[in-house]
Amino acid sequence: MHRLLPFLFSITFCIAIQSEGTTQDYLQLDNLFTGLESSDTWQPGVCLAIIKDNKVIYKKAQGYGNLEYGIPLDENSVFDLASVAKQFTGFAVAKLITENKLSPEDPVNKYLPELIHLDDNVKVRHLVHHTSGIRDVGELFAIAYTGDNFTSVEAMQIIKNQKELNFPTGSEYDYSNSNYVLLALVVERISGMSFKEWSHKNIFTPLNMTHTFVNDNPAAIIEKRATAYNGQLPSFTYNQNNGMALIGSSAVYSTLNDMITWIQALGNENLFPEVFKLMKTKGALDNGTEINYGYGLGIGQHNKEEIIQHTGATPS
């Protein structure tokens, strides 16, 4: 079985993969990295890890995470995971469900009375599987242009002002960042903790992901942050959006080493087995049609093998 979870950020990027190839196959990837660390041609870099049978068989960090100061990437460089953060929100929701603190059939407005105008038919599961019909907050921000720093507070304000849905709830799949912003708020209302605190206590600490955190401050200074760039040799331009703190949808920072730990945990299910199994369960439309999205995870097939994946990007 293949499980593939990449996370990509403009040109400077990081990928962690669980796969079935041979060690020799992956060693050929070294050819792709040739020249990335030449002092004459500083280039945005790559962090890559490949896991087979839950063991790391290939790990590489090469090129630069910061071109202005010539700082090379390493396995502890910190990346903004962007939408890859959704799988941690999915974990939180799945954990609360397995603890009987939340039901996927609960109306969203049970926990978020700000959305009382939503019909009770809009359930938690509709948010999880992107079938709610709630408009994407990123697109709404672009229309309204509320400034450069987008947080969950601004997101809720703009979402609750949307009195109509894009389609009847449960009738379609449409990926919307709003769904996971709202799910993180549900976790906060149930737990009485900030999503940052809840994630630290219930995910990152138990899994020993020591360099992973929810960032609730768009202006925070983040040590060893890898920066995104655009362009190609010989010219690159800064391409990092530091103004997003849409907790639940994004706003998680991590490293290659920590994401290896996460993928191994997701793969072997030794810790939190019920939670991880639920996360990898496909959703469905209200008519029963299966969709290829679980709890913050895209689920599909390639060459008859199961693929579990999610991508994220942080361009400005």
Side-chain angles (χ1 to χ4, degrees), residues 167-186:
F167 50 82
T169 297
S171 65
E172 298 180 28
Y173 167 87
D174 184 32
Y175 184 93
S176 172
N177 289 290
S178 300
N179 293 316
Y180 275 70
V181 171
L182 296 177
L183 285 172
L185 290 172
V186 169

Side-chain angles (χ1 to χ4, degrees), residues 76-97:
N76 289 313
S77 295
V78 178
F79 289 84
D80 180 349
L81 300 189
S83 285
V84 175
K86 289 182 176 66
Q87 58 199 270
F88 299 109
T89 308
F91 177 99
V93 173
K95 189 170 190 293
L96 291 177
I97 290 173

Side-chain angles (χ1 to χ4, degrees), residues 216-276:
D216 56 4
N217 178 10
I221 301 298
I222 297 174
E223 185 178 359
K224 293 182 68 68
R225 186 207 301 255
T227 302
Y229 298 92
N230 199 4
Q232 59 187 2
L233 281 173
S235 176
F236 296 97
T237 56
Y238 181 83
N239 197 34
Q240 184 80 25
N241 185 342
N242 296 329
M244 298 295 288
L246 291 179
I247 293 171
S249 170
S250 54
V252 173
Y253 286 70
S254 190
T255 66
L256 181 63
N257 281 339
D258 273 10
M259 289 305 291
I260 289 170
T261 298
W262 171 252
I263 290 175
Q264 289 173 326
L266 184 61
N268 63 34
E269 298 180 356
N270 289 337
L271 192 62
F272 308 115
E274 293 182 356
V275 177
F276 285 129

Side-chain angles (χ1 to χ4, degrees), residues 167-222:
F167 50 82
T169 297
S171 65
E172 298 180 28
Y173 167 87
D174 184 32
Y175 184 93
S176 172
N177 289 290
S178 300
N179 293 316
Y180 275 70
V181 171
L182 296 177
L183 285 172
L185 290 172
V186 169
V187 173
E188 292 185 343
R189 302 289 171 87
I190 292 173
S191 68
M193 304 170 66
S194 71
F195 193 72
K196 178 176 182 175
E197 294 169 330
W198 192 97
S199 299
H200 177 77
K201 178 180 179 180
N202 293 278
I203 308 176
F204 307 138
T205 296
L207 293 178
N208 198 31
M209 297 173 66
T210 56
H211 293 87
T212 304
F213 58 94
V214 173
N215 179 31
D216 56 4
N217 178 10
I221 301 298
I222 297 174

